[in-house]
Amino acid sequence: MPFVTSEQMIADARAGGYAVGAFNVENMEMVMAVISAAEQLNAPVMLQTTPSTVKYAGLDLYYANVSAAAKNSKVPIALHLDHGNSFELAMRALRVGYTSIMIDGSHSSFEENIELTKRVVDACSPSNIPVEAELGKVGGKEDDLDGGAGGYTDPLEAKEFVERTGVSSLAVAIGTAHGFYVGTPKLDLERLNQIRKVVSIPLVLHGASGLTDEAIRESIRRGICKVNFATELRAAYTEGVKKVLAETAGTIDPKKYSTAGMDLVTHLVMERMKVCGCDNKAK
């Protein structure tokens, strides 16, 4: 199946009361592992790269990787720029062929965020590429992204932001954080309810690695249509590699230890897809 944009799969999720799983991938092996999970569960899936991942290998290489895998897949696959940190990077991803773009102006002022987001939306619109934005600030640290202590999304600001930018989906800050949590996160689900009442577009949850299954399910019940997972995939892949190297002295074939990492990532992604409810939802 060729690439699809994220717009229809997220719209289907919203109508069906589930969420699309969006998974950050760092290399070819993680791409293969995530797509394997999606195929086994017949689930739509979004694969994501952050600016630091792009810096590591380049947009062209990640696009070629995922594009080749998508051509041989029977499930819909979208390639998403996660936390795009500049107009220039967003445009490069658009030109390369990414089918979903996030522009993250949440570290700037409200007006600056609106200006940047609308600029990206206007540029992507002729190609029918959906744009995700963030309002409020998801805390924690991951890659080069440092959200600090974070900051909650104001519902009335969210309404104005969506109306003025024309953005396709909105990542909201309700107490999640990037990276692994220290202690148990407490989500402001009432805030999510308030945002849902005044915002007409699909909502996105970032920082889901480490959340309980019930916290994710409850967020979906209250309007989340896309859930991002990153840190726990890295941890799973690394655990598989380390296990092989520790148990089999002298292993030098990357295929052997990479396969172990892939297996753990595939298993984890399948579990998360089931929590999101997107299994058997591929169209």
Side-chain angles (χ1 to χ4, degrees), residues 7 12 39 43 77 82-83 103 107 111 120 127 132 138 140 145 148 153-155 168-169 181 199 220 235 255:
E7 187 164 18
D12 289 342
E39 290 179 332
I77 295 170
D82 188 30
H83 288 287
I103 185 66
H107 294 262
E111 289 296 331
V120 173
S127 302
E132 175 186 328
V138 177
L145 179 69
T153 303
D154 179 271
S168 306
S169 59
Y181 291 94
V199 171
I220 294 169
K255 294 187 293 297

Side-chain angles (χ1 to χ4, degrees), residues 35-112:
I35 292 178
S36 174
E39 290 179 332
Q40 290 183 61
L41 292 182
N42 191 39
V45 67
M46 294 178 65
L47 280 72
Q48 308 188 142
T49 59
T50 62
S52 72
T53 304
V54 169
K55 189 187 304 181
Y56 174 69
L59 289 163
D60 290 310
L61 187 55
Y62 283 109
Y63 174 82
N65 231 324
V66 180
S67 177
K71 287 177 182 177
N72 297 316
S73 176
K74 296 180 180 179
V75 299
I77 295 170
L79 180 58
H80 179 75
L81 176 66
D82 188 30
H83 288 287
N85 54 10
S86 69
F87 177 81
E88 291 73 23
L89 179 58
M91 293 304 97
R92 283 168 50 209
L94 175 66
R95 288 192 294 269
V96 164
Y98 274 54
T99 59
S100 185
I101 303 288
M102 180 188 182
I103 185 66
D104 184 359
S106 63
H107 294 262
S108 302
S109 71
F110 181 65
E111 289 296 331
E112 289 170 338

Side-chain angles (χ1 to χ4, degrees), residues 108-127:
S108 302
S109 71
F110 181 65
E111 289 296 331
E112 289 170 338
N113 193 355
I114 287 177
E115 181 182 2
L116 174 61
T117 300
K118 189 175 189 313
R119 190 179 174 204
V120 173
V121 169
D122 289 346
C124 290
S125 180
S127 302

Side-chain angles (χ1 to χ4, degrees), residues 17-280:
Y18 61 92
V20 174
F23 303 93
N24 286 50
V25 291
E26 311 293 336
N27 54 23
M28 179 184 75
E29 289 77 15
M30 292 179 77
V31 169
M32 293 165 64
V34 171
I35 292 178
S36 174
E39 290 179 332
Q40 290 183 61
L41 292 182
N42 191 39
V45 67
M46 294 178 65
L47 280 72
Q48 308 188 142
T49 59
T50 62
S52 72
T53 304
V54 169
K55 189 187 304 181
Y56 174 69
L59 289 163
D60 290 310
L61 187 55
Y62 283 109
Y63 174 82
N65 231 324
V66 180
S67 177
K71 287 177 182 177
N72 297 316
S73 176
K74 296 180 180 179
V75 299
I77 295 170
L79 180 58
H80 179 75
L81 176 66
D82 188 30
H83 288 287
N85 54 10
S86 69
F87 177 81
E88 291 73 23
L89 179 58
M91 293 304 97
R92 283 168 50 209
L94 175 66
R95 288 192 294 269
V96 164
Y98 274 54
T99 59
S100 185
I101 303 288
M102 180 188 182
I103 185 66
D104 184 359
S106 63
H107 294 262
S108 302
S109 71
F110 181 65
E111 289 296 331
E112 289 170 338
N113 193 355
I114 287 177
E115 181 182 2
L116 174 61
T117 300
K118 189 175 189 313
R119 190 179 174 204
V120 173
V121 169
D122 289 346
C124 290
S125 180
S127 302
N128 295 315
I129 297 299
V131 176
E132 175 186 328
E134 182 173 318
L135 186 64
K137 188 165 65 176
V138 177
K141 181 172 175 56
E142 183 177 67
D143 287 341
D144 297 334
L145 179 69
D146 189 349
Y152 289 92
T153 303
D154 179 271
L156 293 182
E157 284 191 348
K159 181 177 186 294
E160 180 182 353
F161 184 89
V162 169
E163 290 172 348
R164 290 176 61 185
T165 61
V167 72
S168 306
S169 59
L170 184 67
V172 294
I174 58 169
T176 55
H178 297 108
F180 282 129
Y181 291 94
V182 178
T184 303
K186 182 175 176 56
L187 303 187
D188 189 344
L189 295 173
E190 179 52 37
R191 182 179 298 270
L192 179 56
N193 286 343
Q194 294 170 9
I195 296 169
R196 175 72 279 162
K197 288 178 181 177
V198 297
V199 171
S200 60
I201 61 172
L203 302 179
V204 178
L205 186 69
H206 284 222
S209 290
L211 290 182
T212 65
D213 292 353
E214 182 51 35
I216 294 171
R217 290 191 182 104
E218 185 59 31
S219 297
I220 294 169
R221 282 192 285 268
R222 295 177 186 238
I224 292 295
C225 303
K226 170 180 177 263
V227 182
N228 286 20
F229 302 95
T231 302
E232 61 187 17
L233 272 71
R234 293 175 174 178
Y237 183 79
T238 302
E239 180 184 344
V241 171
K242 289 167 67 175
K243 188 172 187 295
V244 170
L245 295 179
E247 294 178 355
T248 312
T251 299
I252 62 170
D253 185 349
K255 294 187 293 297
K256 295 187 182 300
Y257 51 76
S258 292
T259 297
M262 289 168 59
D263 288 344
L264 291 186
V265 171
T266 297
H267 179 72
L268 173 63
V269 170
M270 290 176 70
E271 288 184 340
R272 287 314 204 182
M273 284 178 163
K274 290 175 183 176
V275 171
C276 288
C278 58
D279 50 313
N280 292 314

